[in-house]
Amino acid sequence: MERRNFAQILETANIDIKREYDRLYSSFYLQKIQDMYGNYYSLKEHCAANFMNVPFRGTCLSLDDFDDFYDIHFEKVPSNFNLNYLVLFCEYTYNLVLYLNCNMSLMYAGINAPQQVYLQQVMKVIELIGYMMTQKDSITIMVPKSQEAIAVSEIVSPTLSYKVIEYNHHALQGNIEAKKSIILLLADQLESKREALRSINKTLENNIFFLYNSMNIRHNNCDPNSKNYKEHTANMPIKELEFWYDEIYQLSLLSFLELDNIERSKQIEVLKQNY
């Protein structure tokens, strides 16, 4: 039986992601907010008016310019709607609303302000679908909530912590090179811990480093002129290669957790002596 990915599992569960999208779309684009002068504007219109305060605007001069430059367009009734569409919409609107200036003559301030209500709604939806928020510079991204990834992000070096979480971001689906670069960072950190990993789980150590060295990650396994050429890897379809990259990522997380458990096991042994 073919293994379903996380998106497929959610889309067949009792979660109406289309209804959640409809609510957010209406709140952002259609619902009007009265300002202190009696004028009515949507949150999208407020974001457009406040666009120059957005730190990630780059050189774009307006929200329309930004949308056009990055080819970001959302439909009220999307023709190809899926979970990633919902998450991308949440990311887009959340980051724009987050930087709304509270002095923009919105009718309310504080926790009942329309922008705060919207941000809370996005957070509830993200929690409902099993995702979590994480920061990348001035941008909030949303990734599947993985307890293993969260645990490993807390024990690796600070420079790698975000990358561990980022691997699960929807934008990396199909992006072999981006996934490879993250796995390579994990491999580099595990290299210095290889002997320790072998001492507690020889099979895992053998498997993970075989994969690092044979799947075109640490060596060029696809060039026939390379001394590290692996015909099977070179002929592997991209989809299959990405499957193995995802497996290598999971095995890397497991390796870090196994290593982290060494000290915990020592503490338990000390505790046992008191009983």
Side-chain angles (χ1 to χ4, degrees), residues 18 30-31 80 102 111 127 136-137 158 181 240 245-246:
K18 183 61 172 63
L30 305 179
Q31 184 177 328
N80 293 303
C102 292
I111 61 173
E127 179 70 22
K136 182 179 182 180
D137 301 324
S181 67
E240 184 179 351
Y245 278 14
D246 292 346

Side-chain angles (χ1 to χ4, degrees), residues 21-35:
Y21 174 77
D22 290 342
R23 289 170 175 157
L24 291 172
Y25 184 95
S26 296
S27 296
F28 184 74
Y29 282 109
L30 305 179
Q31 184 177 328
K32 298 295 183 177
I33 305 162
Q34 186 178 21
D35 66 15

Side-chain angles (χ1 to χ4, degrees), residues 86-271:
L86 170 63
V87 174
L88 181 59
F89 181 79
C90 286
E91 288 180 327
Y92 170 79
T93 57
Y94 185 90
N95 280 286
L96 287 175
V97 174
L98 192 63
Y99 290 102
L100 266 181
N101 187 334
C102 292
N103 296 320
M104 277 187 62
S105 73
L106 287 178
M107 186 174 179
Y108 304 109
I111 61 173
N112 292 321
Q115 65 269 33
Q116 293 301 324
V117 171
Y118 185 83
L119 294 175
Q120 287 294 325
Q121 183 67 15
V122 171
M123 287 188 280
K124 287 180 179 179
V125 170
I126 290 303
E127 179 70 22
L128 175 67
I129 63 175
Y131 273 55
M132 58 179 278
M133 297 183 178
T134 187
Q135 294 295 127
K136 182 179 182 180
D137 301 324
S138 59
I139 299 175
T140 300
I141 68 170
M142 298 160 189
V143 297
K145 189 181 295 181
S146 164
Q147 294 303 321
E148 295 84 0
I150 295 170
V152 172
S153 72
E154 294 173 348
I155 60 178
V156 297
S157 67
T159 56
L160 185 55
S161 180
Y162 169 76
K163 291 294 184 182
V164 171
I165 299 295
E166 184 190 24
Y167 189 94
N168 293 308
H169 191 249
H170 63 87
L172 267 65
Q173 291 181 17
N175 191 336
I176 292 292
E177 289 305 313
K179 289 186 173 183
K180 175 181 174 179
S181 67
I182 294 174
I183 292 171
L184 187 57
L185 291 172
L186 292 169
D188 289 344
Q189 283 222 355
L190 275 178
E191 180 64 44
S192 63
K193 307 175 189 297
R194 186 170 182 176
E195 290 300 322
L197 181 62
R198 181 184 294 137
S199 69
I200 56 174
N201 194 328
K202 186 175 181 179
T203 299
L204 176 59
E205 179 271 335
N206 182 271
N207 287 342
I208 190 66
F209 280 93
F210 164 77
L211 292 167
Y212 285 153
N213 295 325
S214 303
M215 301 297 290
N216 203 43
I217 294 172
R218 304 180 83 184
H219 306 291
N220 188 342
N221 303 126
C222 295
D223 184 354
N225 297 317
S226 170
K227 66 178 181 179
N228 298 301
Y229 177 67
K230 306 287 185 185
E231 183 179 2
H232 186 71
T233 301
N235 295 329
M236 189 173 290
I238 292 296
K239 286 282 189 182
E240 184 179 351
L241 185 62
E242 183 173 13
F243 165 81
W244 281 112
Y245 278 14
D246 292 346
E247 292 297 303
I248 295 168
Y249 167 76
Q250 293 295 335
L251 286 173
S252 299
L253 297 186
L254 177 59
S255 297
F256 279 106
L257 293 175
E258 288 266 23
L259 289 164
D260 187 54
N261 198 47
I262 294 176
E263 185 60 34
R264 185 178 296 108
S265 296
K266 290 179 180 178
Q267 293 173 354
I268 293 173
E269 288 303 318
V270 172
L271 178 66

